[in-house]
Structures are given as C-alpha cells and as structure tokens.
Amino acid sequence: MAPKKKNKPNAETAPPPKGKEAVKLVAGLFFAALSVYTLVALLSYLFTWAEDQSLLSRPDVWSAIVPVENGAGKIGFFWANFLLSKLFGLGAFVFPFFFAAIAGYSLKIKNFNLVKLFYLSMYGAIIISLLFSFIFGFTRFDDWFGNGVGGSYGYFVNRWLIAMLGAPGAGGVILVAFVAWLVLLNRNFVHWINRGIYSLFHRRPKKGKGANVVSDGNGADGLEKSVKEDVADGIAGVVAGDIAGVEEAGAKDGGLDNVNGSVAGASVPFEIYERDYSQADEDGPEGAALDSAQESPSVQNVEGGPELIIEEVEDDDFTKDLPKGSLDTLFDPRLDLPRYKAPGVDLLNDYTNKIYKVSNEELERNNRKIVKTLSDYKISIEKIYARTGPTVTLYEIVPSAGVRISQIKRLEDDIALSLAARGVRIIAPIPGTNAVGIEVANSKPSVVPMKLLLEDPRFRSSEYDLPVVIGRTISNESMMFDLAKMPHLLVAGATGQGKSVGLNAIITSLLYTKHPSEMKMVLIDPKKVELSLYSKIEKHFLAKLPDSDDAIITDTQKVVYTLKSLTIEMDARYDLLKLAHVRTVKEYNEKFLSRKLNPLKGHRYMHYIVVVIDEFADLLMTAGREIEEPIVRLAQLARAIGIHLVIATQRPTTNIITGLIKANFPARIAFRVISNIDSRTILETTGANQLVGRGDMLISVNGEITRVQCAFIDTPEVERITAFIGDQQGYSSAHFLPEYSGEEGDGSGIGDVDLGKRDKLFDEAAKLVVQFQQGSTSLIQRRMNLGYNRAGRIMDQLEAAGIVGPSEGSKARQVLVSDFMALDRILSSLD
C-alpha cells in the first residue's frame, strides 16, 4: 500500500486552513488602525513639524520624557517625518488610503485589486511629490519639512530634471506624468480633459450665429447628473472595479487548489482541483482582461457621448435647416431617460445557506471506485484530476499508453453503477487535452445565485453589446456570452428542468446592463403566466403592436402579427443600412451618433430588439407555418440589424425543432431531456439525457459543448427588479412596432374608402399631418388622443384624399401637401 502523501495546497487559492479567518480579521483591524494612525500623524505633522524638529537631534529622545506636539506622539512624529520629509512630501497622504484598502480587503468589506492598487499608490506618491516640489520650488514655501512640500525625493529628482531639461521641460514631463496617473486612476479623466480642451477652442456661439445650445429642461440637468454619477462610479471603480486581477500569475498556473498525493489503496496519482465558490472568479484566468476592460465605460453609465454644445456648422451641413431642439436625438440615446438607474444587486438573494463544498472524502471515494472499475476491465491509467463544480465534479483521467478511448466510453453504465450516482457522463476525449472526462453529480448540489454572477467583475466590465451571464461551469467560472454574437438562442428541455429560470436569468442579465433606450424586448408567452411579471417594465423595455393592449403577447394571432411586424421593421432597417453604406447596426449607430446621418432623411437610432418566446411548440401547434415562416426569416436575416431571438420549448422533437430552425440557431441550451433522441435533436449529440435536472444544462456554441449549472433567480427577486424599474420615470408607452393589420388588410384598396363618410376629426387630422409633415398614425393617436383603429381609418381617408402617400412599412407616410393653402383647396373640393 502506497504511503499517503501530505497535501501541498496552492498558496494562493487553497481552501482556507483553520485560523486563517482569524488572521485576516487581526490583519484587517491592524491595517485599519494603521491607516487612521498614519493619517493623524501626517495631518498633525503639517502644523507641528517645526516645533518637533528638536526631537531629531536629541540623543535621549527615547529614554527621556520629552514633550511632543504631534498628535500621534513620538513614534507618530518620526513616522510622519520619514514619509513627509525623507520620502514623498505631500504625496505620502496616499498611504493611509492604501492601508485602508488593505483593511477593507482583509475584513471582506470590499474586494480590491491590491497589486494594482499598490502600484497606483506608489506611482501617485512619486508623481505628487514631484508636482508639489516643482510648483512650490518657485515660492517662499520651498523649505517646508526641510526639503520642501515634495519631500527629499521630490526635491532631488526635481533638481535633476530642471538641470537636464530646464524648468519648462521639467514642468512638462511632470505634468504629463501626473495626467497619466489620473488616467490610470480613472479612465473618465480622458473625457474630462477632452471636454476642457474642446471648451477652450469652441466657445458658445452667439445667438443667431453658429450652433444652437441644446437646453431642453430635463435633458441638460440629466446629463450633468449622469456625468457626476460617472465620476463617482469611476473613482470607486479604481479600487472596486478590477477585483479579478489580484493574483493573475497564480491563476495562470491553475487558479485552483492543487492537492497532490495518492489515495489509499490506489497507485494512481490523484489531484483535486477546487476553487473557493464565493470568490471563484476573482483570480480566474481571465482576470487580466479587466485591465483592458477598464478602458471601456461601464454599461450603466452615460460616457463618451457627444457634447451638449454643437459645433458651428458649415453652409452645406444638414443641421442648418433643423428647428431648435430637433438635434436632441443626435446625442447619447440615454438622454431620453437621463435619471434612469439600473437595479442594484441588493434586490437579489445570495443563498449562502444553499452553497455546499464537496468534501475530500467524497472525491477520494469516487476516485477509488473509478480506478477499481477501470482496473476490473484491465484499463490502466496514469493520473486522475478532480475539478469540483456547483453540481457535478469532473474527473479527468489520463489513460496509459495503448489504451483505447472507446474502451472507457463503453464503460459509462458500469461506472455509473459503481458510483451509484446520477448524471454520470463521459467526455472522450476532453477537447484540447489528452484526458478523458467523467462527470459525476455531487451528493449535495449547490445553488448558483444570480447575485454572485452579476457581481462578477469580468461580467461588469465586459464590452459585450448584449451581455448575458447564465451560470457557472464545472470550474466554477461564470458562463458569459454576447447574445448579439450568438446571434440567436434555442432553449429546450423537459418540463420542470429549469427553462423558465434560464429565461429569467437571460432577461435579468440584460435588464442589469442595458438602458431602456438601448434595448427593447418582445415577450411572447402562450402560457400567460411565465413572463407576466415583466409587465411592470412595459414603458421602459417592452415593445408591442400599436393596437395591442398588453405588452406581454399571449394571443396566437397577435403573435403572428407581431412577428410579421418585426419582419417589416427588419426590412426598414436594412433599407437604412443601405442608405448609410454600412453592414451592421453597430456601425450604423456609430455614424448616426457622430452626426454623419441626416434624421430628416429617415435615419434614426436603432436599439437592439430581443424577442423571447416561451413554449414555442404550443405556438406551432396552433398557428403552424404562420409562426415558423417569420421566425425563420428573422433568424436568417435579422442578426445584422440588431434583432435577436431567444426561443424556448419543452418538446425538442424534429417536427418542432426543424432543420431550418437548427440551421439558424448555432447557439443552443439543453436542459435535461427524457431520451437521447431528444438530446441529439437539440445538440446533435447525446448527453442532455444524462443531466441531473434542476438547472443542470449543456450549452452548445458552434458545436463546442460546455456543462453549466444555471443561475437561480426566484419569483420574488424578479418582482423586486421589475418594481424597481417600473417605479422610475419611463416613456409615455411601450415602444410601438410597425403597423400590421393582417392579411385581410393587404388586399384592400384606396377605392374602398368612402370620402363622403369622413371622420368628424378628418379636417383637424389633415392640418396636424401637414403642420408636422409626418404621415404617422401614432402621431394622430398621441396628438388627438384617439384609439389606434380610429386613427388608422383617418389615415386611410387622408391617403384616399391625396394628402398622404401609401404605407411604407415602419416608415412614416410621405406627406403630399406642403402648405395649408393647398390643403384648404383639397378640403373645399371634398365638401
């Protein structure tokens, strides 16, 4: 029997030994006290340094009772003298804040990137020392603290710089270095500096010349408030935004606990890879991505948008003909709702009592059983690695030379019988490795709280257009993807296996990261109860037909009309992309926001539209081809213009998930299904029939399959989120999709309208249309407070009278009458 080796835990990510929490507590309290003590000593030194200078030359300063003026005593005076006089001068005030950050990290008040914070603190102390030494070197305060307010370091380095570059050159170098530190501290300083430079060279034009200054009540105030919030969020982000990069080097070596040894009774080396569940992503392999992600604005902030003051236009610029205030839409679209705030993670539960850790005894027991089962069939292996996840543990087996993978694959049922466990699945081989994977369900599966996933720094700093975080992998890493690049998602699984919770996780991810002006959702729920919770956010995020009463679409006929309306919107968007000479909605919006597209020619900001369909099988049963045709068309063409589909079904059969559907949905999620035939229908391979249920799922993206435990978000949490959003100021109504009246309206001609039976408000509506030069049914609805059907009849009468042109889909009709004199002649001829 091989002797059992002692485990060698990884120093960075090993499970916390006994007493480690006590050490962290003591260290946190120590650094908190040191922070306060250092700050008191430095502040007191500013005012009493001259009186206490005699202490430096007294030989009996430590043995005798010597009066000291510094509020922190003798030690405080010498400590402050060392930092202020001997080192960095006023730059030393950076250190109390650094000590406070260490205290917060140790006491788990906040997670900080201590490595990055250390370098920023040292760089800040040095550059502040140089800056103040240079500035005050030309004043009468150049002898403060002995060598000036910049300390000895600042004094000598500053003298060397001036000797080498002269005063102007030295000042320029120090200023550039100081600005670079500010930019590293907060990326928003780039925008502030740009605004300052812009304001210096582009003064506000006088009235009647140049450009208009947009001031639309709430708009300017809202932007100012948003910018202030960006400042606060950005500064906090320096110490709180980049958590995951603290120990990047250790993460690259595995990011997991590596316990080497031999299991009793087995000669196969066995390594257990574990990860602290609550902080699994803080030092993951992608931690380094946060540094580059800081260069992009937070998805909750309005940053980097065009300025409030519009540049003076040239004579051939289209903006010269725009009325005052009409340029508002050219700015950041978030200004539509400038006071909107995204929901906070405090609305979600953390479920800490439902998170369990897999014991080493269970891992070693399963290891022995796997080794024994394989040895019974004369299959030798070299090594086993165990990676624990929230629901399953992956045992990576390195077979000996000459062992066929198919031999291990055939033993799937025998291994499941030996382990007496559910959800045993064999991956032969694991892509990119020389190992075979055996996934075994944990005896006590853990819940993956949505709150922890949304707090993941990698997700919060991602640059995805439609970011979605849906669960955790076997390695306890957050499973994130960009829905805009999927570009559509198919979700399937048996009843009660977690599809609805998965849809809630997808919707919640989008609600937490997108502004109402950037994204709209079309929610289709034939069961009438699964998505009804989101009706509260109708005026913020939902889209519907103009004549629809409910934003959550449940009627099958309304579903058909809505999907065909989306195809009209798709065609209209492609027409605008063609006019703008771009290929994607992202390129189009960039040109529109940079004032390169003329709103008077029909151009507009294009928000993303996410269509969520629950119980797709029920829709096909009731409407059949009427449903499938527009969905296939949207799936084939809508990806480039920002319309993305998320379809869920509990019947993953071939007559529901047809070849056309599968061909246009490369991203698929499979929850537990009953048979391997259903698994093949969804994923083109088996495996979904071996899942354990309750959120256990397989995600296939372009053929690559990953096992994930879906995030859990309960109904009360969704209610709190929707209530938080719904209580804020929203739009006047849900976003209206293009008009679609059904097939029976397609064959009706203008000759069917009897102008002798005109509506009583016909004349008033005609004047309204001519006044605004916009032939839109929704305009008549809003301005005249009419229902959709009556406004539509009036619009048909206006077309028959020759006042507006025919319908052009989602575009407003062309107004054929240019002035009121011509309109009066038409109205007189009708009487």
Side-chain angles (χ1 to χ4, degrees):
M1 180 181 296
K4 188 173 182 178
K5 297 180 182 179
K6 293 184 179 180
N7 295 333
K8 296 180 181 180
N10 187 302
E12 296 182 1
T13 58
K18 294 181 179 179
K20 188 173 182 179
E21 294 299 323
V23 172
K24 280 191 173 184
L25 176 62
V26 173
L29 295 176
F30 170 76
F31 279 103
L34 179 61
S35 172
V36 176
Y37 183 78
T38 303
L39 184 62
V40 171
L42 293 176
L43 289 174
S44 181
Y45 187 88
L46 292 179
F47 304 99
T48 63
W49 68 275
E51 291 84 345
D52 292 335
Q53 285 298 303
S54 59
L55 297 176
L56 298 174
S57 58
R58 293 192 57 163
D60 60 342
V61 63
W62 299 113
S63 58
I65 299 178
V66 181
V68 61
E69 297 296 329
N70 193 290
K74 294 180 185 177
I75 296 178
F77 165 73
F78 281 97
W79 175 232
N81 182 74
F82 172 73
L83 293 176
L84 278 168
S85 179
K86 303 298 182 184
L87 289 181
F88 304 117
L90 295 181
F93 277 91
V94 171
F95 292 105
F97 298 98
F98 176 66
F99 296 148
I102 298 178
Y105 179 82
S106 301
L107 297 175
K108 296 184 178 180
I109 298 175
K110 276 212 180 267
N111 286 314
F112 299 108
N113 185 339
L114 295 183
V115 175
K116 180 178 180 180
L117 195 60
F118 170 77
Y119 288 121
L120 282 176
S121 300
M122 291 302 300
Y123 183 22
I126 291 172
I127 196 58
I128 292 175
S129 170
L130 292 175
L131 181 66
F132 280 101
S133 179
F134 179 81
I135 294 175
F136 286 90
F138 301 99
T139 66
R140 60 187 181 89
F141 302 106
D142 60 341
D143 59 346
W144 272 21
F145 316 144
N147 288 318
V149 293
S152 298
Y153 179 88
Y155 175 76
F156 290 108
V157 175
N158 192 54
R159 285 184 58 188
W160 180 80
L161 283 175
I162 293 177
M164 297 296 294
L165 303 174
V173 170
I174 294 172
L175 180 62
V176 171
F178 179 71
V179 171
W181 179 66
L182 294 180
V183 172
L184 291 174
L185 197 67
N186 187 347
R187 304 291 181 186
N188 290 332
F189 279 104
V190 175
H191 305 305
W192 302 339
I193 293 172
N194 288 338
R195 292 189 184 106
I197 296 174
Y198 183 89
S199 61
L200 287 177
F201 297 98
H202 298 80
R203 297 295 183 183
R204 180 173 300 189
K206 297 180 181 180
K207 188 174 181 181
K209 297 181 179 180
N212 297 327
V213 179
V214 177
S215 105
D216 55 350
N218 294 337
D221 296 338
L223 180 61
E224 180 181 358
K225 180 178 180 181
S226 176
V227 171
K228 290 180 180 179
E229 291 174 353
D230 289 348
V231 176
D233 292 345
I235 295 176
V238 174
V239 294
D242 290 338
I243 302 171
V246 179
E247 294 168 333
E248 181 182 348
K252 290 182 179 178
D253 293 335
L256 306 166
D257 298 343
N258 187 351
V259 184
N260 299 318
S262 297
V263 180
S267 60
V268 179
F270 179 47
E271 296 188 9
I272 301 174
Y273 287 82
E274 298 178 289
R275 178 176 283 190
D276 186 356
Y277 183 83
S278 61
Q279 300 185 18
D281 290 300
E282 291 182 9
D283 45 8
E286 284 111 348
L290 290 178
D291 295 333
S292 62
Q294 280 292 320
E295 298 177 4
S296 63
S298 171
V299 292
Q300 298 183 8
N301 293 338
V302 181
E303 300 176 346
E307 303 299 322
L308 275 179
I309 300 177
I310 303 162
E311 292 184 2
E312 187 170 347
V313 299
E314 302 294 337
D315 292 339
D316 57 348
D317 197 315
F318 71 86
T319 55
K320 62 185 177 61
D321 297 324
L322 294 179
K324 183 177 181 181
S326 62
L327 283 174
D328 296 352
T329 56
L330 295 180
F331 300 118
D332 196 312
R334 300 183 185 193
L335 290 180
D336 291 345
L337 296 177
R339 292 178 175 82
Y340 173 80
K341 293 184 178 179
V345 293
D346 57 319
L347 301 174
L348 303 174
N349 301 330
D350 50 21
Y351 298 105
T352 53
N353 60 331
K354 295 184 179 180
I355 299 176
Y356 309 102
K357 181 181 178 182
V358 183
S359 64
N360 286 346
E361 291 77 10
E362 179 181 347
L363 297 174
E364 293 171 354
R365 183 173 61 251
N366 289 339
N367 168 71
R368 288 194 296 268
K369 290 180 179 180
I370 292 173
V371 172
K372 183 179 183 304
T373 302
L374 295 177
S375 62
D376 290 343
Y377 290 90
K378 296 181 174 54
I379 297 176
S380 61
I381 56 178
E382 295 180 356
K383 207 169 189 181
I384 297 181
Y385 305 87
R387 297 183 182 272
T388 59
T391 303
V392 297
T393 297
L394 175 64
Y395 295 88
E396 299 183 12
I397 299 174
V398 180
S400 300
V403 175
R404 295 181 180 179
I405 291 179
S406 59
Q407 293 178 270
I408 302 176
K409 183 69 174 176
R410 286 198 298 265
L411 299 178
E412 187 169 1
D413 294 335
D414 300 280
I415 295 174
L417 178 64
S418 173
L419 296 174
R422 299 179 303 145
V424 175
R425 190 172 76 101
I426 293 182
I427 310 172
I430 298 175
T433 69
N434 63 341
V436 176
I438 300 178
E439 294 176 345
V440 182
N442 299 332
S443 58
K444 295 182 70 176
S446 296
V447 168
V448 177
M450 192 70 190
K451 180 178 182 179
L452 290 182
L453 299 181
L454 293 174
E455 288 178 332
D456 187 345
R458 293 191 297 117
F459 175 71
R460 294 171 59 186
S461 61
S462 66
E463 298 180 356
Y464 296 155
D465 295 320
L466 291 175
V468 173
V469 58
I470 199 169
R472 287 191 185 274
T473 64
I474 290 179
S475 303
N476 263 331
E477 295 180 2
S478 298
M479 182 63 189
M480 301 180 298
F481 56 84
D482 187 358
L483 182 59
K485 293 182 180 179
M486 285 296 178
H488 310 295
L489 185 62
L490 177 64
V491 183
T495 302
Q497 302 305 317
K499 291 190 311 301
S500 297
V501 176
L503 291 180
N504 286 333
I506 293 172
I507 295 174
T508 300
S509 300
L510 296 173
L511 294 180
Y512 266 82
T513 53
K514 305 306 291 183
H515 189 273
S517 64
E518 298 175 319
M519 181 198 68
K520 300 297 178 184
M521 290 188 290
V522 177
L523 302 183
I524 299 174
D525 181 18
K527 288 199 298 187
K528 304 181 181 181
V529 294
E530 293 293 346
L531 302 178
S532 60
L533 296 173
Y534 298 100
S535 59
K536 296 179 182 178
I537 61 174
E538 173 181 349
K539 296 182 178 181
H540 297 80
F541 283 101
L542 301 189
K544 64 178 183 179
L545 291 173
D547 59 340
S548 179
D549 296 329
D550 298 324
I552 310 297
I553 306 165
T554 58
D555 180 69
T556 304
Q557 193 61 45
K558 289 288 186 183
V559 173
V560 175
Y561 287 179
T562 300
L563 293 175
K564 292 188 176 181
S565 174
L566 286 169
T567 60
I568 296 174
E569 172 70 11
M570 178 184 69
D571 293 335
R573 289 191 173 199
Y574 268 117
D575 290 338
L576 292 178
L577 260 63
K578 178 182 177 181
L579 293 174
H581 302 289
V582 295
R583 299 177 61 185
T584 65
V585 66
K586 189 172 183 179
E587 296 173 1
Y588 178 90
N589 285 336
E590 288 175 356
K591 292 188 71 173
F592 182 81
L593 294 177
S594 60
R595 307 188 185 99
K596 296 179 181 178
L597 300 176
N598 189 344
L600 296 181
K601 295 182 179 179
H603 290 290
R604 54 191 166 90
Y605 178 78
M606 293 185 190
H607 48 251
Y608 288 96
I609 299 178
V610 179
V611 183
V612 181
I613 304 177
D614 195 13
E615 298 302 341
F616 179 59
D618 181 73
L619 292 176
L620 285 183
M621 289 176 59
T622 54
R625 193 171 182 83
E626 285 187 287
I627 291 287
E628 185 177 4
E629 284 183 355
I631 284 182
V632 171
R633 190 158 183 262
L634 288 171
Q636 289 174 334
L637 301 174
R639 65 188 69 184
I641 44 85
I643 300 178
H644 304 280
L645 306 178
V646 179
I647 296 179
T649 179
Q650 64 181 5
R651 291 180 53 198
T653 56
T654 53
N655 62 327
I656 301 299
I657 304 176
T658 62
L660 281 175
I661 295 291
K662 292 167 65 174
N664 293 284
F665 283 78
R668 305 168 197 168
I669 294 178
F671 290 88
R672 186 172 183 269
V673 294
I674 303 303
S675 67
N676 58 1
I677 297 177
D678 292 341
S679 177
R680 288 184 182 277
T681 302
I682 307 168
L683 302 174
E684 308 291 351
T685 184
T686 59
N689 55 309
Q690 298 166 318
L691 300 176
V692 299
R694 299 183 64 83
D696 191 17
M697 64 185 183
L698 296 175
I699 296 182
S700 173
V701 181
N702 296 322
E704 182 179 344
I705 297 179
T706 305
R707 192 166 184 175
V708 176
Q709 175 61 36
C710 182
F712 179 71
I713 177 169
D714 206 358
T715 300
E717 298 175 82
V718 177
E719 290 177 341
R720 291 195 292 268
I721 294 171
T722 55
F724 177 86
I725 296 175
D727 290 341
Q728 300 185 57
Q729 180 185 1
Y731 296 98
S732 59
S733 65
H735 175 73
F736 287 145
L737 297 173
E739 304 169 8
Y740 183 82
S741 58
E743 297 295 333
E744 66 276 6
D746 293 344
S748 62
I750 299 303
D752 297 337
V753 178
D754 186 3
L755 293 178
K757 297 180 181 179
R758 299 190 305 276
D759 193 280
K760 295 180 180 179
L761 298 176
F762 175 83
D763 292 356
E764 183 178 348
K767 295 177 181 178
L768 181 68
V769 168
V770 173
Q771 177 185 355
F772 287 91
Q773 287 294 299
Q774 182 180 355
S776 169
T777 304
S778 59
L779 173 67
I780 299 177
Q781 277 185 275
R782 296 193 306 269
R783 294 287 180 172
M784 303 182 67
N785 197 22
L786 300 179
Y788 176 79
N789 292 332
R790 186 178 182 184
R793 287 194 299 270
I794 294 176
M795 184 58 68
D796 290 339
Q797 293 171 2
L798 292 173
E799 182 183 356
I803 298 175
V804 298
S807 176
E808 298 180 12
S810 62
K811 294 182 181 179
R813 298 171 184 248
Q814 181 181 1
V815 180
L816 305 177
V817 180
S818 59
D819 54 64
F820 287 106
M821 292 181 62
L823 176 63
D824 290 338
R825 288 195 295 270
I826 294 176
L827 296 178
S828 299
S829 65
L830 295 176
D831 293 335

